[in-house]
Amino acid sequence: MNKDEIKKLIRSYVAEHVFSGKLPVDFNDDTLLVSSRIINSIIVMHLINHFEEALKIELEAHEVNIDNLDSVNIMADFFAGKLNA
Amino acid sequence: MPENNKYLIDLIHNSLDSYGDSPAFKNTNRKSITYSELRSNLNSNTFFRNYSSDCGLIAVLSEKKFEVIEIFLAALLSGNAYLPLDYHSPAERILFILKNAGVKMLMVEKSNSDKYSKALEIENIRFNLKEYNNEYTAIIFDEYKTYSPELAYVLYTSGSTGLPKGVMHSHLSAFTFIDWCNRTFQFKKGNNFIAIAPFNFDLSILDIFVSLRSGGCLFIPSYSEVSNSRMIAKHIEDLNIHVIYSTPTFFKTLMSFGKIENKQFDKISHLLIAGEQLMGNVVLDLSKHFTKAEYYNLYGPTETNVCLFYKIDPKNCIAEQPVPIGKACDHTNIELTKKDELNELLISGNSIMLGYVATLNQKYEIYNTGDLVKKDANNDLVFVGRTDRMVKRSGYRIELAEIEACLKKHADVTECTMGVIKKGDDLKIAAFFVSQQKITDLQLKNYCLEQLPAYMIPDVFVQVNELKVNSNYKIDINKLLIENDLGHLI
């Protein structure tokens, strides 16, 4: 799976679980999600479990942090890196 | 018996004198302090004592670490009281609290000093800056409220008038609760506690003072570590934690996301659960992993400290049924008053608050909890609902009126109301609003986040043409929830 496909999956997840089905028109792939507190820690943990299963990757405890998860672009980079590791 | 302003001071001195080189607090980066070192630091700390002798509030805004507790203890030993602020609250809310409480000093990490100095200047509030130590700056206010020397700390919670309210606890009310904990749970020197709750949350009183009184060691994870279930699960195992005091939401999250299947939690002796309704399934799940722990459901609003408790036998729990809140602690008197077909729980006794900051002189002999209860077959009380619109999420109290007051201030929102979708112990908040403009969810979330803590932000914003009223001329929230088909949120 390439990075664009991963981004599409993340957008779809955020739309469904954060914005009740549809991304707002002013949302983009650089919109900060965690540091802006738009998504809370429980949604973050749900999201990680979901993508570990979907992408067959595993995150270490110390990798669950804002530097790896703060926007669609940041998450896609991080997940793609894990896939290629 | 100590004087009314001495209970916590005596407790602190006794512990500092008794537990010597045992560790008192540890940050999870392994930085730690022993009781002897803490005693030495506090004895030589004259910062607050040199300033003035009347009792004022020392507010602290900081990342979670033991240095914050040192400030709380120094404030108490100097005859002041402390006010822990929510580190993640928007600046606007922090400023409201500082003004509402009339604080004497605000202790901030140096990195935040400029931000708050500038915000206070804009508000025309006069203050001086002074270095407290290498990490903290003290913002010392020219004008502040003087409080009764009985006051120990103030905790702010969501208020039904649309504004946060400050709950004032005395040395006596705090000590009554702490003393009950130590007698009931028999914690010992060397017990390891972990501070899951933020310091502005009432659960922190047990973490800080019960561990201190028993000669235990309190591990203090950072805020980001607490929100990372995998890291917390690792700490609980690696640090040989004995006691965890937290909310059902925390424990559910730990079990769902902490990857705890292969963890060894056999050092855990006590799981203390409080802050929101506890369902049987949570205990049943916990008992598979925490096999050697005693389980307690503790009940008490911020205003009363813990005042009822129930020792849980996991074998008797039924998945879909609430765990009882039990019977009164020995420091509490309870009364039940009829509200329609149910009973409202009223609390009195030494553990209840002095009062609210906004109504300084109003004393509370009895506190009406607003919680509706029934008795089960064993005469234990069971929580069944509320008399008002207050809800709880992750243990935090949320007055829906406060969210409505926030959203109504938005220039393009003409009307709004909040609806709650509840299934079992899961809860979502839906904001219904009327506006002539198209406003996106993202704009409204960001707008609310500028004024409210994240746990109060609605999960969904629904723009409607009008807020229809029912035959009682009240907004028909049930109809709004049904018409907009929001059941899928849970």
Side-chain angles (χ1 to χ4, degrees), chain B residues 405-418:
Chain B
C406 163
L407 206 52
K408 278 177 186 162
K409 283 193 274 178
H410 190 291
D412 292 327
V413 172
T414 48
E415 280 182 277
C416 73
T417 193
M418 300 297 137

Side-chain angles (χ1 to χ4, degrees), chain A residues 26 37 49 52 59 61 64, chain B residues 88 228 230 257 259 440 449:
Chain A
D26 46 351
R37 299 177 300 147
N49 271 18
E52 280 186 332
L59 271 68
V64 181
Chain B
H88 297 105
N228 176 351
R230 292 185 190 179
F257 307 117
K259 292 207 163 180
T440 71
L449 281 164

Side-chain angles (χ1 to χ4, degrees), chain B residues 243-472:
Chain B
V243 183
I244 311 177
Y245 182 33
S246 195
T247 61
T249 299
F250 167 80
F251 287 111
K252 280 194 294 180
T253 311
L254 180 73
M255 288 186 290
S256 299
F257 307 117
K259 292 207 163 180
I260 60 174
E261 296 73 25
N262 300 317
K263 296 263 185 275
Q264 294 296 317
F265 291 142
D266 49 3
K267 293 283 191 327
I268 293 283
S269 61
H270 289 78
L271 289 186
L272 309 176
I273 310 172
E276 56 193 333
Q277 188 173 33
L278 173 64
M279 301 299 285
N281 62 313
V282 178
V283 180
L284 290 170
D285 287 348
L286 281 169
S287 64
K288 292 174 197 156
H289 304 284
F290 297 89
T291 52
K292 296 190 174 159
E294 289 183 12
Y295 295 75
Y296 289 87
N297 192 19
L298 306 183
Y299 165 89
T302 304
E303 284 85 347
T304 67
N305 284 304
V306 170
C307 50
L308 280 88
F309 76 115
Y310 180 77
K311 186 169 184 187
I312 306 166
D313 182 346
K315 289 198 292 294
N316 294 336
C317 287
I318 298 168
E320 300 308 319
Q321 285 190 11
V323 175
I325 54 175
K327 296 190 171 72
C329 303
D330 58 12
H331 54 73
T332 298
N333 297 310
I334 57 176
E335 283 176 46
L336 302 179
T337 58
K338 268 267 183 269
K339 286 264 172 180
D340 300 323
E341 293 305 303
L342 294 161
N343 293 303
E344 185 187 356
L345 177 60
L346 275 56
I347 303 291
S348 58
N350 280 344
S351 73
I352 78 167
M353 64 173 176
L354 278 176
Y356 295 107
V357 165
T359 48
L360 265 185
N361 296 322
Q362 187 178 345
K363 299 279 180 200
Y364 284 78
E365 297 292 327
I366 294 184
Y367 177 69
N368 294 34
T369 64
D371 287 334
L372 296 169
V373 294
K374 65 176 183 185
K375 279 187 182 171
D376 69 7
N378 298 317
N379 258 352
D380 285 307
L381 293 181
V382 180
F383 171 84
V384 291
R386 292 281 306 168
T387 58
D388 55 19
R389 297 177 68 213
M390 191 265 273
V391 295
K392 284 206 159 182
R393 187 143 75 171
S394 302
Y396 287 101
R397 186 191 296 193
I398 300 173
E399 294 284 0
L400 298 177
E402 200 176 338
I403 313 176
E404 288 165 358
C406 163
L407 206 52
K408 278 177 186 162
K409 283 193 274 178
H410 190 291
D412 292 327
V413 172
T414 48
E415 280 182 277
C416 73
T417 193
M418 300 297 137
V420 170
I421 308 145
K422 204 167 185 299
K423 188 173 165 189
D425 50 2
D426 200 1
L427 178 144
K428 304 279 183 194
I429 298 172
F432 298 96
F433 68 97
V434 178
S435 174
Q436 301 307 311
Q437 312 295 322
K438 178 74 192 149
I439 319 175
T440 71
D441 275 22
L442 190 58
Q443 286 169 329
L444 287 175
K445 266 187 195 264
N446 282 328
Y447 177 78
C448 291
L449 281 164
E450 284 168 15
Q451 297 172 67
L452 299 173
Y455 60 82
M456 291 179 76
I457 306 304
D459 299 283
V460 62
F461 294 86
V462 183
Q463 191 158 358
V464 291
N465 292 330
E466 60 174 331
L467 297 177
K468 290 178 190 157
V469 293
N470 59 21
S471 54
N472 297 323

